[in-house]
Amino acid sequence: MLELRHLRSLIAIAETGRINAAAEAVHLTPSALSHQLRALEDHYGMPLLLRDVRGLRFTPAGERLLALARQMREAQQAAEQDLQRIQGDTRGTLRVVLECHTCFEWLMPVLDAFRQRWPDVEVDLVSGFHRDPLTLLSKDKADVVIGALRPPGRQWASLPLFRFEILLALPPGHVLCAKRSVRAVDLQGETLITYPAPDERIDLIREVLQPAGISLPRRTAELTIAILQLVASRRGVAALPNWALKPSLDSGYVQARRIGPRGLWSELHATVPRDLAQRPYVRDLVEMARQSVATHLDGVQLL
């Protein structure tokens, strides 16, 4: 009764948290995925998932099958890598450019694990801030760009990673902490603390402030911790990804509010030359990144 397709479905549900998104990930309709789950539950005579106000939740039986699914996926990936080594397609170079300053926090553990899995692939981070990182691909100065931009043209492939919410970081006790969400007009009179990036690369400015015709004075800092220190000391406010804010929110160092009633969301993709996208180690790097963020970052949605 239990097949690999069932295990893939359980992993997709765990990683997306929603039936519709999981069904899309495994190329099924939502009704077909629900039927698959019911068949498993009928076979084992116990529920695998519960639905409550918090969303989908695995039962102990579901958790056990999910653990098996993840073990099987790891075994499958290891076998595929062995086959690729036998075939000889294991050597290469990946020069990685990060458009997102906060990506270092989740990418470093992924790259460490990748180097162990693919020891013959040389991985290098292209240092420094790049105003237009995608031009490095066309000039053959980079192989992978991780960022929100997806360039047009058939020569590039954009491999989806995940979607995340950008929150407004505020000092404890700030007047805006009394609001459930913050609008552009609420930010008038504030100083915006950002990374040293142009306006068009800052989501809050591009998506919220500019459409409202609002311009704020800016102060920049290179490091996330420096931005948070400035916010905590009431030098301004900042818009940062939810995962970058979580430790400071948990400690009460800063507070955060949603930007707009539905939130301000962004996406990350890995853009590579189309011929490179077919290399097994490139695909594996993307899948390792997706698995890692789904496991370790709160509040993200896999694309």
Side-chain angles (χ1 to χ4, degrees):
M1 178 62 192
L2 188 61
E3 301 176 14
L4 282 176
R5 61 191 178 95
H6 299 137
L7 300 179
R8 294 191 190 100
S9 296
L10 293 175
I11 290 174
I13 293 170
E15 291 181 344
T16 64
R18 296 180 294 131
I19 290 293
N20 287 358
E24 183 178 353
V26 295
H27 309 292
L28 292 175
T29 64
S31 60
L33 179 56
S34 296
H35 177 76
Q36 191 182 95
L37 287 172
R38 283 196 300 272
L40 280 176
E41 290 175 335
D42 291 343
H43 177 74
Y44 291 109
M46 62 185 78
L48 302 179
L49 290 171
L50 296 176
R51 294 169 176 83
D52 55 28
V53 293
R54 295 174 293 176
L56 291 176
R57 183 162 52 89
F58 281 86
T59 65
E63 290 284 359
R64 181 62 187 90
L65 288 183
L66 178 61
L68 171 64
R70 287 171 171 157
Q71 292 169 0
M72 291 296 294
R73 180 170 64 178
E74 291 178 3
Q76 180 184 2
Q77 290 172 344
E80 289 175 347
Q81 289 157 20
D82 288 341
L83 292 175
Q84 289 155 5
R85 291 188 183 96
I86 293 171
Q87 189 181 34
D89 191 12
T90 63
R91 295 183 179 275
T93 300
L94 285 180
R95 296 163 295 175
V96 182
V97 177
L98 298 180
E99 178 195 351
C100 166
H101 285 74
T102 50
C103 288
F104 285 99
E105 298 179 31
W106 61 263
L107 184 62
M108 293 302 102
V110 174
L111 293 182
D112 289 341
F114 178 83
R115 290 186 182 97
Q116 294 181 14
R117 188 177 289 183
W118 296 90
D120 294 330
V121 177
E122 183 178 349
V123 181
D124 184 30
L125 282 174
V126 181
S127 61
F129 172 75
H130 304 280
R131 191 176 188 90
D132 186 7
L134 295 174
T135 61
L136 298 178
L137 293 179
S138 59
K139 294 180 179 180
D140 194 29
K141 294 182 178 180
D143 304 297
V144 183
V145 171
I146 295 179
L149 299 177
R150 287 180 287 174
R154 297 176 60 86
Q155 71 270 38
W156 313 119
S158 289
L159 309 176
L161 293 172
F162 60 95
R163 183 172 181 258
F164 61 94
E165 186 172 5
I166 298 170
L167 300 174
L168 186 72
L170 300 163
H174 191 285
V175 64
L176 292 180
C177 293
K179 293 180 173 288
R180 295 185 62 182
S181 63
V182 177
R183 302 171 299 164
V185 67
D186 298 325
L187 296 174
Q188 288 182 322
E190 299 288 346
T191 295
L192 182 61
I193 304 169
T194 73
Y195 298 105
D199 287 0
E200 64 271 15
R201 297 271 297 279
I202 298 175
D203 298 82
L204 179 65
I205 295 176
R206 186 184 65 249
E207 303 294 334
V208 178
L209 297 177
Q210 286 182 344
I214 294 174
S215 177
L216 301 182
R218 281 178 63 189
R219 178 170 179 171
T220 62
E222 293 277 354
L223 302 176
T224 303
I225 186 61
I227 291 177
L228 290 171
Q229 286 175 345
L230 289 170
V231 170
S233 59
R234 299 184 176 275
R235 304 296 178 86
V237 300
L240 292 169
N242 50 4
W243 80 78
L245 280 172
K246 189 177 187 307
S248 295
L249 292 176
D250 290 345
S251 67
Y253 189 60
V254 299
Q255 296 189 27
R257 289 297 179 267
R258 172 166 277 191
I259 300 170
R262 298 184 179 179
L264 176 61
W265 293 79
S266 188
E267 297 180 352
L268 284 179
H269 301 258
T271 299
V272 299
R274 188 163 295 278
D275 57 345
L276 187 62
Q278 304 308 315
R279 297 288 181 90
Y281 53 81
V282 173
R283 293 284 180 176
D284 197 34
L285 174 63
V286 171
E287 185 56 30
M288 289 176 69
R290 287 168 55 85
Q291 291 178 28
S292 179
V293 299
T295 303
H296 300 294
L297 297 187
D298 292 333
V300 302
Q301 300 173 2
L302 293 184
L303 296 172

